[in-house]
Amino acid sequence: MIVESASGRWEPVIGIEVHVELETKSKMFCGCTVDTEAEPNTNVCPVCLALPGALPVINERAIEWIARIGLALGCTVTPDTVFSRKNYFYADIPKGYQISQFDLPVCADGHLDIEVDGVASRVGIERAHMEEDTAKSQHAGDGGRIHTATSTLVDFNRAGVPLVEIVSRPDMHTGAQARAYAQALRQVVLALDVSDAKLEEGSMRFDANVSVRPEGEPELGTKVEVKNMNSFRSLERAVDHEISRQIAHIESGGTVIQETRHWDEADGRTHGMRTKEGSSDYRYFTEPDLPPMHLDEDWVAPIRAALPELPEARAARYRQMGLEAGAADVLAPASPRARELFESAVGAGGDPRQVANWLVQDVTAWLRKADTDLEATPLSAGHLVELGRLVDDGKLSSSAAVMVLGHVLAGDGAPAGVAEANDLIQISDAGALESAIDEIIAANPEEWERYVGGEQKLTGFFVGQVMRVTQGKADPKLVSQILRDKA
Amino acid sequence: MSAADLSIGGARAALDAGDLSAVELADAVLDRASATEAQLHAYLLIDHEGARAAAVAADEAIAAGTAGPLTGIPIALKDNMVTEGVETTCASQILAGWEPPYDGTAVAKLKQSGAVIVGKTNLDEFAMGSSTENSAFGTSRNPWDTDRVPGGSSGGSAVSVAVGSALGAFGSDTGGSIRQPAALTGTVGFKPTYGLVSRYGLIAFASSLDQIGPFARDVDDALTLFEAVAGHDPMDSTSWDGAVPDARPTLDAGPEGLRVGVVEEMNGEGADPQVLARYREVLSALESAGATLVDVSMPSIAHPVSTYYLIAPAEASANLARFDGIRYGHRADGETVEELMARTRGEGFGPEVIRRILLGTYALSAGYYDAFYGQAQKVRTLAIQDFERAYEQVDVIAAPTSPTTAFKIGERSENPLAMYLSDVFTIPSNLSGHPAISVPAGTDDAGLPIGFQLLAPALGEPVLFRAAKAVESLMGVSARPRLEEVAG
């Protein structure tokens, strides 16, 4: 948490603002379809184009969804809340103001627990408020860069898409914590099924407020807003870079100024944007076109009751079922289908660790290689239980089990049939193995002498020889047993 | 007498009896417009083709027996009401040439009812003004004296009804923009309870104050027009979602037993002596006819104009931000987006609009919000409470509509404060959201109309119309301006 430098010890302080586009059917204040990938300016109407005379109407589903997010983050839902106008001019703000919230956000005072290198910490959530997204500007001509563009085109498909802004408290101190927070938040959003939260497509975006102060100093340093990070890795790098930059700047006699800086992934630095005199004044006032919202406990209770199990709680439950922390953390936020297979297989008698390891490692690897989704395969919970029983009965080696799993995923059939068809069943018949072992002993009398004499490491030699002649089908445990009996 | 001089009720009877066709009526009205427009300039646009087509359709509906109260009735619309495919400008250069792709809810309802829309009437730019002198396309003139203003901002609509270039008209009232021009032109002007008529498709001036309402030649017609456009609209979240109160059953119940509030703070102080005299005369007439006059005090409405001129411009500064040259309307060139927007707005808006945007921007600015906008909202809340207390004692409140009769063109245009004071008696009901109506109460010595205003509590339309009809019966329907002086 403390950065030591030539001049002393510094405490970086980080707060994160996250914007999440909700995947509701229609926009925040009109009936237009939410589909930002559609042909430009096809999902537009008088309301989201801000034609004269048009008025907003609240999408109640979006309010339910932000409450879902807030409740999942332990927030209080504000019983009497209002929308406000945030006034500023830009080509992608059709009304010349954004309908947002100011002093009465829908959700306030929550938290999110994170863990970095085994150290847990709690990040406070100051608020989550509802607003609308802006249109998208495209700078055309001369490489599409803003300063050299010959023209700018505006696509209003995104204008008015429901947007939730989640503001953390300044409770983080490293880039790794910032990253862990953003990742954990994304998992929550995905678990709630309210957004696809795709970083690269901008349906989840984050800005970091970074400041540094001397260790022990109660006042916060001047904060710098860092933007333009579109991966978790770049968030971590940008925050760490900005911390170093501010410390170095102060140490060289400079003063940190309040500004917005853009992260440049290519050169790994943040760059100051053209700063304007004074701070922007958004002249917030209560939106007169929308009535206040009354979100009382009667409204909140069913939403709270319907919250799904969240990744954090699920991971804890999986650990209690005997999963290693690693597998639990991967499986808990995994796709619903993977979790469903896991839970049904375990319910039907499968071994939790074995089933989890197959799903987290082998199935995942196979899917990646085959470039397909779990949903596209015929793998069932029954298959996983059957496979486990074959291993437990000594009919499949663990490596053969993985091969069988691949065949099942490929649609070749159920585990037992696939194992038979591909000649993968272990030889578990002591009689059949005994004659093979006898031949090997006869061919290697010297080694046998040493083994009988107590040289245990030769077990591997004999097992290996047996596996070779049986083409891998011998049950190695049984072979060892026979060897011990003979010695 | 021309068909253009009929009341809506009279025209309805003639149309239904087959004594008059909708096409004849439309032609009479269009002829009247041709004769008067050069002098009066009530209209920014007359839709001859659209009006004739609607009249033909209306005749068919009448023949088929499917006519409603407004089928075939020629109506004028203030040009801040959005009409599909018909240029809508708000009397501003910034919207010149804009043809909306949709109809506002009130317009759609009128079309559905079979009304014949004659055209779009002149107004003060973006409904900001009390005289129509702020129109970017020329001032409308008062048919009672063409050297004088017709009032505003809905001046064009008022004139069209006064001279018969429409049988009824719609305007919008944010601080008196229906009632004041009605008073100055001898017509009935009604501002409904906030939320009873959808604002969807009304180009916003001040969202929490704006309300669409009718102009008519008598109280019956005003009610008919109101009924055609009132009702819940899911497209307007501030629209009232209960039933529209029905004013018909008690319309003719008369003044007997009505408790009429006379407010100390709205008692005509500062008003022209003739306006005051006429106001008192109407009060006496009501009393003689069986109404009871009750003195009430409403200290919080003592300074309505200053409260209004913080709230309305603040909302307007945001409402008018969308006119940026990006998507529609006037666009100036610029090297950057900022420059393009700034030039577009500088060129497109007139001086009064710019003045109010600046006022509103200032009132909302950090450091000033609490002292100005925040304080004004508190006063507004107190004013509403004052009204509510008053309505515990009275059924309606009486007040002059305008402190003066029609003033001369140019008389106040250099003095914004004097102009703002035109609305001192009308603003309180915009702040409270309550209904109010101006009915003609005769003329002054110079022959200029005087209006008498009645106010009622929220959803108090039945008692308001009953009282208005009583005043009309006592005072007589207003005389009409002498057409020979305004016809070209």
Side-chain angles (χ1 to χ4, degrees), chain B residues 22-23 73 78 106 134 158 176 179 181 188 215 245 248 264 280 282 432 454 471:
Chain B
V23 170
I73 304 296
K78 188 179 184 179
N134 296 330
R179 290 161 287 158
V188 175
F215 288 89
R248 283 280 165 207
E264 199 184 319
R280 293 192 181 121
V282 179
S432 67
L454 286 158
V471 170

Side-chain angles (χ1 to χ4, degrees), chain A residues 46 49-57 85 87 89-91 94-97 156 276 281 283-285 288-291, chain B residues 82 98 101-102 199-203 207 234-235 237-238 318-319 321-323 327-328 341 345 361 364-366 369 373:
Chain A
L49 286 175
L51 295 192
L55 295 171
V57 176
R85 292 185 181 178
N87 296 286
F89 286 99
Y90 203 64
K95 292 187 290 296
Y97 56 85
F156 290 91
K276 282 183 196 159
D281 180 356
R283 305 189 307 281
Y284 281 100
F285 71 101
D289 286 332
L290 294 170
Chain B
V82 167
W98 183 59
Y102 77 106
R199 292 184 298 115
Y200 191 76
L202 171 67
I203 300 179
S207 312
M235 299 295 278
S237 304
T238 62
N319 283 332
R322 66 187 58 197
F323 302 99
R327 284 147 294 130
Y328 43 76
M341 289 181 174
R345 293 166 64 77
T361 303
L364 289 173
S365 294
Y369 180 95
Y373 187 73

Side-chain angles (χ1 to χ4, degrees), chain B residues 260-261 263 266 298 387 390-391 394-399 453-456:
Chain B
V260 179
V263 184
M266 280 171 67
M298 297 170 57
F387 269 115
Y391 287 124
V394 301
D395 300 309
V396 292
I397 288 170
Q453 189 185 199
L454 286 158
L455 292 72

Side-chain angles (χ1 to χ4, degrees), chain B residues 396-421:
Chain B
V396 292
I397 288 170
T401 307
S402 162
T404 66
T405 52
F407 46 94
K408 288 238 162 103
I409 290 172
E411 187 181 320
R412 295 184 192 170
S413 48
E414 294 309 311
N415 185 348
L417 276 182
M419 188 74 91
Y420 294 172
L421 288 170

Side-chain angles (χ1 to χ4, degrees), chain B residues 318-337:
Chain B
N319 283 332
L320 270 60
R322 66 187 58 197
F323 302 99
D324 56 12
I326 301 292
R327 284 147 294 130
Y328 43 76
H330 177 68
R331 176 190 288 184
D333 278 333
E335 285 298 307
T336 62
V337 173

